[in-house]
Amino acid sequence: MINYIFLFSRHGKCRLQHWYHAVPSKDKKRIYRDLVSLILARKSRMCHFLEHKDSKVVYKRYASLFFCVGVDNEDNELIVLEIIHRFVDLLDKYFGSVCELDVIFNYEKAYYILDELLLGGDIQETSKKTILKAIATQDKEEEEELGGKSKSGNN
């Protein structure tokens, strides 16, 4: 089961952070700081799996962003890498060629895509087509809602 997921830049700036368990704020900051410093210090040719305290950490770098996932010790690392890749693929399909700025300026969409993929730390939907359809539906509803507000504001 996934405990947390982080997206951070090459400089250690947090771009997205989602926790699937209640963790005190002080511990969240410490875990994030420890993992970012560990991952950024590693060479690109090194293994993408780490053991950190009582869990495993799987990470992958795509362009200028690191995708880092903390899982239970008994979870399969390769499945977690596939989940990371699926998330990146969904971001790519939604934004075109996703970059760090897309995540910064459209963080709510990135969270929404993540929520469509994962629920409570477990994979919810595996079909990219279904997830993208749900996102398109949500975008359409949001657009209609915003369109309705501007029309009612003009009257």
Side-chain angles (χ1 to χ4, degrees):
M1 180 175 194
I2 295 175
N3 299 319
Y4 51 82
I5 184 166
F6 306 139
L7 270 68
F8 58 91
S9 70
R10 290 179 291 178
H11 308 291
K13 298 256 187 201
C14 183
R15 300 303 181 206
L16 184 139
Q17 188 177 121
H18 200 292
W19 293 81
Y20 293 100
H21 297 290
V23 178
S25 182
K26 189 181 263 187
D27 291 342
K28 285 181 184 179
K29 288 177 186 173
R30 184 181 40 77
I31 291 168
Y32 178 79
R33 189 177 56 245
D34 292 348
L35 287 176
V36 168
S37 62
L38 270 173
I39 291 169
L40 291 176
R42 293 172 65 90
K43 304 261 189 270
S44 63
R45 297 262 183 208
M46 294 178 85
C47 179
H48 293 277
F49 311 138
L50 296 169
E51 289 193 14
H52 182 262
K53 311 245 180 207
D54 57 345
S55 66
K56 278 191 256 187
V57 176
V58 179
Y59 72 93
K60 182 86 171 123
R61 180 179 173 183
Y62 288 92
S64 63
L65 282 175
F66 284 89
F67 291 74
C68 174
V69 178
V71 296
D72 297 332
N73 278 323
E74 57 274 353
D75 285 340
N76 185 331
E77 298 94 343
L78 297 177
I79 292 175
V80 177
L81 269 178
E82 180 58 33
I83 290 170
I84 292 171
H85 184 71
R86 178 70 43 115
F87 182 47
V88 171
D89 214 17
L90 286 164
L91 289 171
D92 261 349
K93 287 203 185 327
Y94 183 78
F95 290 113
S97 182
V98 70
C99 67
E100 188 175 347
L101 291 175
D102 290 324
V103 176
I104 292 170
F105 293 115
N106 299 297
Y107 64 90
E108 69 283 345
K109 293 297 178 193
Y111 275 109
Y112 187 74
I113 292 169
L114 182 62
D115 288 342
E116 285 294 317
L117 179 65
L118 299 171
L119 178 68
D122 290 318
I123 193 131
Q124 170 180 290
E125 180 61 60
T126 57
S127 169
K128 291 180 208 171
K129 197 182 255 187
T130 304
I131 293 172
L132 290 170
K133 193 175 183 181
I135 294 164
T137 302
Q138 194 258 352
D139 284 347
K140 185 179 174 187
E141 288 176 8
E142 187 177 306
E143 195 174 291
E144 287 172 0
E145 185 177 308
L146 290 175
K149 283 185 180 178
S150 65
K151 287 179 185 174
S152 64
N154 292 335
N155 291 335

